[in-house]
Amino acid sequence: MSKSRARAKKTIVKPQVLRIIGGRHRGRKLPVADVDGLRPTGDRIRETLFNWLAPWLPGSRCLDLFAGTGALGLESLSRGASLVELWEQHPAAAKAIAESLQLLQAPEAHLRRGDTLAALAQAPKEPFDVVFLDPPFAADLWQSCIDALAPWLASEAWVYIESPLEARYQVPVNWQVHRQKQAGRVCYALFRVL
């Protein structure tokens, strides 16, 4: 085998795939856009999070801000959420989410393309029971989103935040930590809004 052929084999990168880990679409593998810095929430973290949310998720209205791969919104859909909105600005990531929604034949899920902070500045039609906040880590958008979330939250809503350990943000006094864990350099927490 020539050196150039051997080099070509080494540079082949297998495309990322998102696997739904629970619910009616369990085991389903969905495409992930090849976008620099895009990372699905890991299986272990997702499993823990959705175990925490299990009593409240069926029938809930979920909002996946910065959907990225769609991992959190699509998992919610699979586990019985009555409505899921996935917000994503990056065209390739949004296209992959749209393809996943088409594959899953999910009329209860909606993709909103565009800037999340601009969307949060608008008045919601209806508040959400569960909100996932996992922005691109380099963008440092946790506080901006937290500050804009109040009108989007239903009474006794749940807010999930995923961040690097060094991220600093302040939640409102009426948000109580329900559970919090660390996996490597990632911190993830579930808050109950009282």
Side-chain angles (χ1 to χ4, degrees):
M1 180 183 298
S2 72
K3 286 183 181 181
S4 61
R5 237 172 141 187
R7 242 182 272 126
K9 277 191 171 189
K10 288 180 184 178
T11 58
I12 295 173
V13 177
K14 194 174 180 183
Q16 281 193 71
V17 173
L18 169 66
R19 185 177 63 87
I20 302 294
I21 55 175
R24 73 179 190 251
H25 299 297
R26 182 180 183 195
R28 193 76 188 261
K29 292 181 179 174
L30 301 168
V32 171
D34 184 17
V35 175
D36 200 31
L38 187 64
R39 52 161 182 75
T41 296
D43 286 4
R44 193 175 94 214
I45 294 174
R46 263 189 296 143
E47 186 67 46
T48 300
L49 167 62
F50 285 96
N51 284 341
W52 293 346
L53 284 172
W56 302 281
L57 194 61
S60 66
R61 295 172 44 83
C62 298
L63 175 57
D64 187 357
L65 304 170
F66 307 99
T69 64
L72 300 175
L74 296 171
E75 193 73 42
S76 298
L77 177 71
S78 182
R79 292 173 184 247
S82 64
L83 179 128
V84 177
E85 278 196 25
L86 300 104
W87 293 4
E88 180 52 48
Q89 182 171 8
H90 194 284
K95 182 177 183 273
I97 292 170
E99 289 169 3
S100 293
L101 293 176
Q102 190 171 14
L103 286 169
L104 296 176
Q105 299 177 355
E108 66 275 29
H110 308 280
L111 172 63
R112 181 174 182 161
R113 298 169 195 250
D115 181 78
T116 294
L117 288 176
L120 284 174
Q122 300 171 6
K125 290 178 185 167
E126 263 190 86
F128 290 87
D129 305 303
V130 179
V131 175
F132 301 105
L133 176 54
D134 178 16
F137 282 10
D140 193 20
L141 295 169
W142 294 276
Q143 196 63 57
S144 303
C145 291
I146 290 166
D147 294 344
L149 267 178
W152 293 86
L153 300 174
S155 174
E156 298 187 350
W158 296 93
V159 179
Y160 169 76
I161 299 177
E162 187 172 322
S163 65
L165 292 178
E166 61 277 5
R168 296 288 170 254
Y169 57 83
Q170 185 72 39
V171 299
V173 293
N174 65 323
W175 290 23
Q176 289 190 343
V177 176
H178 176 68
R179 298 273 171 81
Q180 187 170 357
K181 285 188 102 171
Q182 178 184 335
R185 302 288 307 153
V186 174
C187 179
Y188 56 106
L190 182 63
F191 297 88
R192 187 70 188 257
V193 180
L194 303 175

